[in-house]
Amino acid sequence: MREDVENLDIADVTANWVNAAVLQHQIDERIKALADLSHTPLFFGRLDYLHAPGADKAEGADGERFYIGRRHVHDAEGDPMVIDWRAPVSQPFYRASKKDPLDVGLRRRFGYTGGDLTAYEDEHLSDPSEAAATSKLLQQEIERPRVGPMRDIVATIQPEQDEIVRSGLSGSVCVQGGPGTGKTAVGLHRVAYLLYAHRERLARTGTLVIGPNKSFLHYIEQVLPALGELEVKQATVDDLVAHVEVRGTDDATAAVVKGDARMAEVLRRAVRSHVTLPTEGVVVVRGSRRWRVPAYELETIVGELLDRDIRYGAAREALPQRIAHAVLVQMERSGEAPDDRVQDAVARNTAVKAAVKAIWPPVDPAKLVLRLLTDADFLAVHADGILDEDEQKEILWSKPVRSVKSARWAPADAVLIDEATDLVQRTHSLGHVVLDEAQDLSPMQYRAVGRRCTTGSATVLGDLAQGTTPWATRSWDEALTHLGKGDAVIEELTAGFRVPTDVITYASRLLPHIAPGLTPVASVRENPGFFEVRPTTADEQVVDACEELLRNEGSIGLIAADARIPALTEALTAAGLTYLGPGEETTAQTRLTLVPASLAKGLEYDYVVLDEPQAVVDGEPDERTGLRRLYVALTRAVSGLTVTHAAPLPQQLA
């Protein structure tokens, strides 16, 4: 298929060099999408239908066989050999069961090792004499060692996951899922499905995956290309709101206030405060005639624009046209017959432009936010009745700032500037946005993401128990309201495919303290996993634990409190152990990654050494946030976990 595209001759089908360049670009992208992936088979399953799909079953039509794979594959004549996993005819591969076989006589799963077919397994779903059984191949695929970046799960999608993946484009979905339930994979595969089902629409409107940090995005970046989807952009929330250079930080209290949804009203008031009701009329001179729009009429025009509550910039662009229209009405009354060109000329008249500048001056969003954060009186006027005096003091900068460029903006400030920017000029909306690790966003960050999908839909992924910011969301209903998707369907995934039983059971001891009422994850893995709590007296013993785990196949993550990283770096170097940073791709030679606890979220390793749990808790502003950070760190392991500690363990783990 790739060679067919490479051999296309476009010399006689393009009218000019522009068309040729566009077509060549499309061909190049198609070739990239058809690239072979090492150790990735073209098909992983087979469905034998009792009747041909769509045929009248009463007529006893013969059945039909389909091979299911990551991509559609056809032969030289164009006949399909492998059906894309997203096609409707493939859906029973994930949904069919002994209770509801969906007209499937046989489902076959194929097992691969290094790209070679090594096993297969059959289920006769319509045979009442065959008992339902757990798929060994499915279990092996789930428990396969993790080396390198995140991979797709098309061969192991479960029915409850498939239901979310195939949900429609028009509706938004929120997925609450504990560690290892596959919520990130479900979100990415939903994007792949939507691009398959609505390709033309999403090609126009665009799709975006938003992750918590660059390490996480690097870890997941190969999933969609492996499924042939190359056009999906990835970003962090900080990337979205990068109107200014962020060089500063806020303390937790100030960040919570700046991230509060009430700041949106403060900003709205501040932006609208620039409008000044006119006290004088406007006189427009055209030739020998003078046309006057009195102050009361201007005031009516301005009042109507304010009442419409449209974007500040859009109203500012409309104002000269509204004034010009008032002049044209006078011209028509005097017997003239002006057209649109006359109205445009009046709108560009010097007197009209001067009036617009005085009444509705331009607003620079960054300068506006800077004034709010540095001018106590300005903030007090616009925060009156919204923020109390203590909250206003928290967000005011202690030192004066000369300009926008010299200011040491904090991440929360950039979000405020993004809100102000949208008040002035509408933010471009995409067709679909995936927001992962959503529980960590502030209300103002939710609003920033929501602006990117006002006319589209969203897939929101997260776990309330893993909220590790002081402003972490308390409920999905609240978060979705701030996102502007209050009608989104909330789904919960509770079956754990990644974290071994013994590990998730130990980590779940923290749930009553960090997320009361949340359903604990139930591991569906047959292998209970390796789990050990090991007292230590020196950093060398932590290194010893890493060396022991390196004897196993797969990746190793050494996770520690951020403050412990320098000491462990020194200990690893002294022992001659090479290691990577979070998000860097493991190799056969280097399988150990040193991970600060603050960057562990969303990552996974076959084996994990967790250093000093109490230090992880103490590294956060409050105990609940610290325990949530610890819960994240405890649940990064796929096959085994060793907890090392010299200090006593947190009492919540007793």
Side-chain angles (χ1 to χ4, degrees):
M1 288 170 66
R2 189 174 63 253
E3 287 174 359
D4 285 346
V5 180
E6 289 172 339
N7 293 330
L8 286 174
D9 184 1
I10 62 173
D12 297 327
V13 296
T14 53
N16 53 54
W17 69 270
V18 176
N19 290 349
V22 171
L23 189 55
Q24 188 59 53
H25 173 73
Q26 292 173 342
I27 289 173
D28 292 342
E29 290 298 300
R30 176 67 173 158
I31 292 170
K32 285 182 193 175
L34 289 170
D36 283 327
L37 299 173
S38 59
H39 309 305
T40 301
L42 285 176
F43 62 92
F44 52 79
R46 192 183 100 189
L47 287 177
D48 290 5
Y49 279 88
L50 296 176
H51 307 86
D56 187 348
K57 296 176 184 178
E59 296 178 2
D62 293 336
E64 200 165 351
R65 174 177 296 171
F66 299 96
Y67 285 86
I68 312 301
R70 286 165 175 77
R71 306 291 307 279
H72 168 82
V73 182
H74 62 247
D75 61 17
E77 282 71 44
D79 294 325
M81 299 176 68
V82 178
I83 305 299
D84 193 301
W85 66 276
R86 298 167 286 188
V89 77
S90 303
Q91 186 170 334
F93 185 80
Y94 304 107
R95 301 275 186 96
S97 65
K98 294 292 289 186
K99 289 183 178 179
D100 186 10
L102 300 176
D103 200 43
V104 173
L106 179 142
R107 173 169 57 200
R108 174 170 290 179
R109 299 182 192 275
F110 295 98
Y112 291 86
T113 303
D116 294 326
L117 177 63
T118 54
Y120 69 88
E121 182 181 75
D122 286 348
E123 296 173 87
H124 297 87
L125 297 176
S126 299
D127 184 354
S129 65
E130 183 179 290
T134 303
S135 168
K136 298 292 184 184
L137 286 180
L138 191 63
Q139 203 69 35
Q140 289 172 14
E141 176 65 20
I142 289 172
E143 298 183 10
R144 187 154 57 94
R146 264 72 167 162
V147 177
M150 182 180 179
R151 57 177 184 258
D152 65 74
I153 61 163
V154 290
T156 61
I157 293 173
Q158 298 301 292
E160 64 272 18
Q161 295 175 325
D162 187 67
E163 192 172 335
I164 298 170
V165 166
R166 295 177 192 266
S167 55
L169 177 61
S170 59
S172 293
V173 179
C174 174
V175 182
Q176 158 63 41
T181 54
K183 56 185 177 295
T184 296
V186 166
L188 294 174
H189 287 68
R190 185 177 183 221
V191 171
Y193 171 77
L194 292 176
L195 286 167
Y196 174 88
H198 307 278
R199 188 166 303 282
E200 287 188 11
R201 178 174 168 184
L202 289 177
R204 293 193 306 270
T205 55
T207 50
L208 174 68
V209 174
I210 302 173
N213 51 56
K214 296 291 187 185
S215 298
F216 178 82
L217 292 177
H218 182 69
Y219 176 62
I220 68 169
E221 67 184 358
Q222 295 303 317
V223 175
L224 289 170
L227 300 174
E229 303 301 345
L230 307 175
E231 299 300 319
V232 180
K233 292 183 171 54
Q234 297 183 349
T236 64
V237 175
D238 290 342
D239 293 333
L240 298 183
V241 300
H243 304 284
V244 292
E245 183 182 359
V246 173
R247 296 180 295 146
T249 56
D250 281 319
D251 61 40
T253 307
V256 168
V257 176
K258 289 179 181 179
D260 195 295
R262 293 174 295 162
M263 288 299 299
E265 178 59 21
V266 175
L267 288 165
R268 193 185 77 87
R269 288 183 182 181
V271 168
R272 288 168 68 95
S273 71
H274 289 75
V275 178
T276 304
L277 292 178
T279 56
E280 297 180 356
V282 176
V283 177
V284 176
V285 178
R286 282 186 60 79
S288 61
R289 301 293 300 270
R290 294 162 61 88
W291 309 96
R292 185 173 185 277
V293 182
Y296 72 85
E297 191 170 351
L298 289 177
E299 189 174 333
T300 301
I301 293 171
V302 172
E304 288 174 352
L305 289 173
L306 288 171
D307 291 341
R308 288 177 62 191
D309 203 23
I310 58 177
R311 296 297 192 282
Y312 185 92
R316 188 174 187 275
E317 291 174 2
L319 181 56
Q321 289 292 337
R322 295 291 295 273
I323 295 173
H325 178 71
V327 172
L328 258 67
V329 169
Q330 293 184 31
M331 290 180 176
E332 289 170 347
R333 285 174 182 165
S334 68
E336 295 189 19
D339 55 18
D340 290 345
R341 289 174 298 175
V342 175
Q343 179 166 327
D344 290 339
V346 173
R348 295 193 300 269
N349 182 273
T350 304
V352 173
K353 289 164 71 174
V356 170
K357 186 175 182 180
I359 297 168
W360 214 291
V363 170
D364 183 307
K367 288 181 179 178
L368 175 78
V369 173
L370 184 63
R371 187 179 176 190
L372 277 172
L373 299 177
T374 55
D375 186 335
D377 294 335
F378 188 67
L379 176 62
V381 169
H382 302 300
D384 182 40
I386 301 175
L387 304 179
D388 61 35
E389 290 186 11
D390 290 337
E391 289 173 323
Q392 292 178 35
K393 288 177 182 176
E394 282 292 342
I395 65 174
L396 276 170
W397 292 356
S398 56
K399 296 179 180 178
V401 178
R402 291 182 180 178
S403 66
V404 168
K405 287 188 177 180
S406 64
R408 293 184 62 82
W409 298 104
D413 301 329
V415 180
L416 295 179
I417 294 172
D418 190 69
E419 179 84 27
T421 301
D422 184 69
L423 288 167
V424 174
Q425 187 173 8
R426 184 182 295 277
T427 304
H428 174 67
S429 175
L430 300 165
H432 192 77
V433 169
V434 175
L435 175 61
D436 205 351
E437 300 296 348
Q439 72 281 344
D440 276 340
L441 269 59
S442 69
M444 291 299 285
Q445 287 176 315
Y446 279 120
R447 290 175 62 87
V449 174
R451 283 192 284 279
R452 272 74 187 178
C453 55
T454 50
T455 58
S457 55
T459 301
V460 181
L461 313 166
D463 179 12
L464 296 178
Q466 296 186 60
T468 50
T469 56
W471 49 83
T473 190
R474 293 184 292 271
S475 76
W476 289 122
D477 287 333
E478 179 184 321
L480 292 168
T481 299
H482 293 311
L483 193 69
K485 303 296 179 185
D487 58 347
V489 176
I490 301 176
E491 304 280 1
E492 188 170 10
L493 297 175
T494 57
F497 304 98
R498 171 167 56 78
V499 187
T501 303
D502 290 354
V503 175
I504 196 64
T505 301
Y506 184 70
S508 293
R509 295 180 183 182
L510 298 175
L511 281 180
H513 308 280
I514 60 177
L518 210 59
T519 306
V521 172
S523 178
V524 298
R525 299 178 56 146
E526 292 183 347
N527 180 1
F530 169 79
F531 175 65
E532 179 188 16
V533 178
R534 182 185 297 185
T536 59
T537 56
D539 292 341
E540 289 73 21
Q541 292 172 292
V542 180
V543 175
D544 291 342
C546 294
E547 290 179 322
E548 290 173 22
L549 293 178
L550 280 167
R551 294 171 193 155
N552 301 311
E553 182 186 0
S555 57
I556 315 295
L558 171 54
I559 303 177
D562 293 33
R564 290 273 297 147
I565 295 299
L568 293 174
T569 298
E570 192 174 318
L572 290 171
T573 304
L577 275 182
T578 57
Y579 60 91
L580 303 165
E584 295 180 8
E585 190 169 333
T586 55
T587 64
Q589 294 74 33
T590 307
R591 294 183 290 122
L592 175 64
T593 304
L594 179 59
V595 187
S598 62
L599 296 180
K601 188 170 294 181
L603 305 180
E604 58 183 31
Y605 303 93
D606 285 291
Y607 294 90
V608 167
V609 176
L610 175 59
D611 169 76
E612 293 296 351
Q614 188 61 54
V616 174
V617 177
D618 293 341
E620 300 298 328
D622 59 82
E623 185 181 59
R624 190 183 76 154
T625 305
L627 290 173
R628 286 181 166 185
R629 183 76 71 189
L630 177 59
Y631 180 73
V632 170
L634 284 167
T635 53
R636 299 303 96 200
V638 174
S639 298
L641 169 68
T642 297
V643 177
T644 60
H645 68 102
L649 292 170
Q651 62 178 4
Q652 291 85 353
L653 285 176

mmCIF file of all heavy atoms in Angstrom, residues 354-369:
data_model
loop_
_atom_site.group_PDB
_atom_site.id
_atom_site.type_symbol
_atom_site.label_atom_id
_atom_site.label_comp_id
_atom_site.label_asym_id
_atom_site.label_seq_id
_atom_site.Cartn_x
_atom_site.Cartn_y
_atom_site.Cartn_z
ATOM 1 N N ALA A 354 -11.638 59.351 16.398
ATOM 2 C CA ALA A 354 -11.270 60.004 17.659
ATOM 3 C C ALA A 354 -12.311 59.719 18.742
ATOM 4 O O ALA A 354 -11.969 59.474 19.910
ATOM 5 C CB ALA A 354 -11.117 61.507 17.443
ATOM 6 N N ALA A 355 -13.580 59.738 18.344
ATOM 7 C CA ALA A 355 -14.648 59.463 19.308
ATOM 8 C C ALA A 355 -14.568 58.023 19.809
ATOM 9 O O ALA A 355 -14.721 57.749 21.011
ATOM 10 C CB ALA A 355 -16.001 59.722 18.664
ATOM 11 N N VAL A 356 -14.323 57.080 18.899
ATOM 12 C CA VAL A 356 -14.214 55.662 19.290
ATOM 13 C C VAL A 356 -13.050 55.464 20.252
ATOM 14 O O VAL A 356 -13.167 54.736 21.253
ATOM 15 C CB VAL A 356 -14.046 54.777 18.032
ATOM 16 C CG1 VAL A 356 -13.674 53.346 18.424
ATOM 17 C CG2 VAL A 356 -15.310 54.788 17.196
ATOM 18 N N LYS A 357 -11.926 56.128 19.975
ATOM 19 C CA LYS A 357 -10.754 55.986 20.841
ATOM 20 C C LYS A 357 -11.044 56.512 22.243
ATOM 21 O O LYS A 357 -10.575 55.960 23.248
ATOM 22 C CB LYS A 357 -9.567 56.731 20.230
ATOM 23 C CG LYS A 357 -8.266 56.519 20.986
ATOM 24 C CD LYS A 357 -7.096 57.184 20.262
ATOM 25 C CE LYS A 357 -5.795 56.923 21.013
ATOM 26 N NZ LYS A 357 -4.642 57.565 20.338
ATOM 27 N N ALA A 358 -11.832 57.589 22.333
ATOM 28 C CA ALA A 358 -12.158 58.170 23.638
ATOM 29 C C ALA A 358 -13.200 57.338 24.382
ATOM 30 O O ALA A 358 -13.115 57.170 25.601
ATOM 31 C CB ALA A 358 -12.665 59.600 23.446
ATOM 32 N N ILE A 359 -14.173 56.825 23.639
ATOM 33 C CA ILE A 359 -15.267 56.084 24.273
ATOM 34 C C ILE A 359 -14.876 54.641 24.570
ATOM 35 O O ILE A 359 -15.139 54.117 25.651
ATOM 36 C CB ILE A 359 -16.518 56.097 23.357
ATOM 37 C CG1 ILE A 359 -17.023 57.521 23.165
ATOM 38 C CG2 ILE A 359 -17.624 55.219 23.936
ATOM 39 C CD1 ILE A 359 -18.069 57.640 22.055
ATOM 40 N N TRP A 360 -14.230 54.005 23.595
ATOM 41 C CA TRP A 360 -13.967 52.557 23.679
ATOM 42 C C TRP A 360 -12.490 52.313 23.322
ATOM 43 O O TRP A 360 -12.170 51.772 22.269
ATOM 44 C CB TRP A 360 -14.876 51.814 22.689
ATOM 45 C CG TRP A 360 -15.315 50.463 23.168
ATOM 46 C CD1 TRP A 360 -14.532 49.365 23.325
ATOM 47 C CD2 TRP A 360 -16.641 50.053 23.532
ATOM 48 N NE1 TRP A 360 -15.277 48.309 23.765
ATOM 49 C CE2 TRP A 360 -16.572 48.692 23.897
ATOM 50 C CE3 TRP A 360 -17.871 50.707 23.583
ATOM 51 C CZ2 TRP A 360 -17.692 47.969 24.309
ATOM 52 C CZ3 TRP A 360 -18.977 49.980 23.995
ATOM 53 C CH2 TRP A 360 -18.903 48.631 24.356
ATOM 54 N N PRO A 361 -11.574 52.705 24.181
ATOM 55 C CA PRO A 361 -10.150 52.599 23.858
ATOM 56 C C PRO A 361 -9.698 51.146 23.776
ATOM 57 O O PRO A 361 -10.327 50.257 24.357
ATOM 58 C CB PRO A 361 -9.473 53.313 25.033
ATOM 59 C CG PRO A 361 -10.424 53.142 26.169
ATOM 60 C CD PRO A 361 -11.799 53.201 25.558
ATOM 61 N N PRO A 362 -8.600 50.871 23.039
ATOM 62 C CA PRO A 362 -8.090 49.492 22.982
ATOM 63 C C PRO A 362 -7.598 49.041 24.358
ATOM 64 O O PRO A 362 -7.157 49.864 25.172
ATOM 65 C CB PRO A 362 -6.945 49.580 21.972
ATOM 66 C CG PRO A 362 -6.550 51.027 21.945
ATOM 67 C CD PRO A 362 -7.784 51.804 22.239
ATOM 68 N N VAL A 363 -7.678 47.744 24.624
ATOM 69 C CA VAL A 363 -7.227 47.178 25.903
ATOM 70 C C VAL A 363 -6.168 46.118 25.626
ATOM 71 O O VAL A 363 -6.385 45.209 24.825
ATOM 72 C CB VAL A 363 -8.408 46.551 26.679
ATOM 73 C CG1 VAL A 363 -7.903 45.753 27.873
ATOM 74 C CG2 VAL A 363 -9.368 47.624 27.144
ATOM 75 N N ASP A 364 -5.019 46.243 26.297
ATOM 76 C CA ASP A 364 -3.967 45.230 26.238
ATOM 77 C C ASP A 364 -4.171 44.286 27.422
ATOM 78 O O ASP A 364 -4.042 44.703 28.578
ATOM 79 C CB ASP A 364 -2.591 45.890 26.319
ATOM 80 C CG ASP A 364 -1.455 44.887 26.197
ATOM 81 O OD1 ASP A 364 -1.464 43.899 26.961
ATOM 82 O OD2 ASP A 364 -0.560 45.083 25.371
ATOM 83 N N PRO A 365 -4.509 43.012 27.180
ATOM 84 C CA PRO A 365 -4.819 42.094 28.288
ATOM 85 C C PRO A 365 -3.706 41.971 29.323
ATOM 86 O O PRO A 365 -3.969 41.959 30.530
ATOM 87 C CB PRO A 365 -5.062 40.764 27.570
ATOM 88 C CG PRO A 365 -5.513 41.145 26.203
ATOM 89 C CD PRO A 365 -4.721 42.376 25.869
ATOM 90 N N ALA A 366 -2.450 41.873 28.868
ATOM 91 C CA ALA A 366 -1.343 41.718 29.809
ATOM 92 C C ALA A 366 -1.190 42.971 30.678
ATOM 93 O O ALA A 366 -0.965 42.879 31.893
ATOM 94 C CB ALA A 366 -0.052 41.424 29.050
ATOM 95 N N LYS A 367 -1.326 44.146 30.059
ATOM 96 C CA LYS A 367 -1.225 45.392 30.836
ATOM 97 C C LYS A 367 -2.377 45.499 31.832
ATOM 98 O O LYS A 367 -2.193 45.996 32.959
ATOM 99 C CB LYS A 367 -1.229 46.597 29.890
ATOM 100 C CG LYS A 367 0.062 46.765 29.100
ATOM 101 C CD LYS A 367 -0.004 48.000 28.199
ATOM 102 C CE LYS A 367 1.295 48.176 27.417
ATOM 103 N NZ LYS A 367 1.233 49.352 26.509
ATOM 104 N N LEU A 368 -3.545 45.031 31.434
ATOM 105 C CA LEU A 368 -4.701 45.071 32.330
ATOM 106 C C LEU A 368 -4.460 44.206 33.562
ATOM 107 O O LEU A 368 -4.691 44.638 34.698
ATOM 108 C CB LEU A 368 -5.942 44.575 31.583
ATOM 109 C CG LEU A 368 -7.207 44.465 32.448
ATOM 110 C CD1 LEU A 368 -7.815 45.830 32.666
ATOM 111 C CD2 LEU A 368 -8.216 43.523 31.812
ATOM 112 N N VAL A 369 -3.986 42.975 33.355
ATOM 113 C CA VAL A 369 -3.722 42.073 34.484
ATOM 114 C C VAL A 369 -2.593 42.635 35.351
ATOM 115 O O VAL A 369 -2.660 42.568 36.586
ATOM 116 C CB VAL A 369 -3.377 40.657 33.970
ATOM 117 C CG1 VAL A 369 -2.936 39.756 35.125
ATOM 118 C CG2 VAL A 369 -4.571 40.047 33.255
#
